[in-house]
Amino acid sequence: AQSVTQPDIHITVSEGASLELRCNYSYGATPYLFWYVQSPGQGLQLLLKYFSGDTLVQGIKGFEAEFKRSQSSFNLRKPSVHWSDAAEYFCAVGGSGGSYIPTFGRGTSLIVHP
Amino acid sequence: NAGVTQTPKFRILKIGQSMTLQCTQDMNHNYMYWYRQDPGMGLKLIYYSVGAGITDKGEVPNGYNVSRSTTEDFPLRLELAAPSQTSVYFCASSPNGRQDTEAFFGQGTRLTVV
């Protein structure tokens, strides 16, 4: 069965510092991977997705993620964090067996210090 | 474009009461989902639907029921509310069953059972 692991529950960074949020997946075939962001009191919004091609994917709000098959990872990065990036971040893997039922990680809460 | 709309945003229920969480989408999406989000636990799938008249259980369906009489609406029914159902509920939709397709989320319903 497919699964997603986000090992960090909370990450704290200073404004202007770089950011990396970790995501590891378990999937039998070529994975379809997503990062979503949830701002306080809001629903989830897609940041970026990967399903083929270039392993470095660019998303909205200056985020990028790199797919590494050898490490089963899809880590999210941003070179310089802004206070408005404080949110919950979810990694997800697309469904298998021809049916799109995504599986989400437990989320990583990003705290940004001024 | 409204996207996915959930009502109400907040609700307090007494143990044993019933209620319906409403979800409607105006994107003509076939797939719709209900998730619950508990702190540190990520998103758990309650029920999903692949089209009008078709629903199926997710990971945590006990205590809930759904129906899908139209493409637009996917209400979630709680019968005999219990404290364990205190959570944030998200409705989501996607256009089809393709694995590379993102899900679109509503803003959530925060439910407290006392």
Side-chain angles (χ1 to χ4, degrees):
Chain A
Q2 64 199 49
S3 66
V4 176
T5 301
Q6 292 180 249
D8 303 306
I9 297 176
H10 302 284
I11 291 282
T12 302
V13 299
S14 298
E15 191 170 16
S18 63
L19 170 70
E20 182 168 33
L21 301 182
R22 296 184 290 165
C23 173
N24 293 97
Y25 66 89
S26 173
Y27 195 83
T30 301
Y32 296 81
L33 296 162
F34 305 79
W35 274 100
Y36 290 84
V37 60
Q38 182 187 24
S39 298
Q42 302 296 314
L44 279 69
Q45 177 188 17
L46 181 72
L47 277 176
L48 48 79
K49 63 182 179 182
Y50 169 82
F51 50 91
S52 67
D54 193 344
T55 56
L56 185 63
V57 181
Q58 301 297 320
I60 63 171
K61 305 185 181 186
F63 285 91
E64 65 179 26
E66 186 171 14
F67 171 65
K68 293 185 178 180
R69 184 185 298 276
S70 61
Q71 298 178 17
S72 297
S73 69
F74 188 56
N75 294 348
L76 182 71
R77 301 195 296 245
K78 187 169 185 178
S80 178
V81 170
H82 188 263
W83 64 266
S84 61
D85 293 325
E88 190 92 14
Y89 291 82
F90 291 91
C91 183
V93 61
S96 59
S99 179
Y100 179 72
I101 307 296
T103 299
F104 288 84
R106 66 178 176 179
T108 298
S109 179
L110 175 64
I111 301 164
V112 180
H113 282 314
Chain B
N1 189 353
V4 179
T5 303
Q6 291 183 238
T7 57
K9 287 187 169 53
F10 304 93
R11 183 71 185 268
I12 298 174
L13 275 185
K14 293 184 178 178
I15 295 172
Q17 287 185 321
S18 300
M19 78 164 292
T20 299
L21 282 65
Q22 301 292 344
C23 175
T24 186
Q25 51 94 6
D26 62 359
M27 298 174 284
N28 201 33
H29 287 175
N30 287 322
Y31 282 62
M32 295 188 75
Y33 316 88
W34 274 105
Y35 290 91
R36 60 176 289 171
Q37 181 184 29
D38 300 301
M41 301 298 290
L43 298 171
K44 302 291 186 185
L45 183 67
I46 305 171
Y47 271 94
Y48 69 97
S49 169
V50 302
I54 307 170
T55 63
D56 207 348
K57 296 178 181 179
E59 188 180 357
V60 290
N62 291 342
Y64 307 94
N65 277 301
V66 293
S67 60
R68 184 96 182 270
S69 57
T70 67
T71 298
E72 294 79 18
D73 300 309
F74 190 42
L76 178 71
R77 178 82 176 163
L78 278 72
E79 305 281 2
L80 299 175
S84 61
Q85 293 178 306
T86 294
S87 188
V88 181
Y89 292 85
F90 286 100
C91 180
S93 71
S94 65
N96 52 51
R98 286 173 48 174
Q99 297 162 285
D100 62 340
T101 305
E102 71 179 277
F104 294 80
F105 284 80
Q107 291 194 318
T109 296
R110 184 175 295 275
L111 175 67
T112 303
V113 181
V114 296

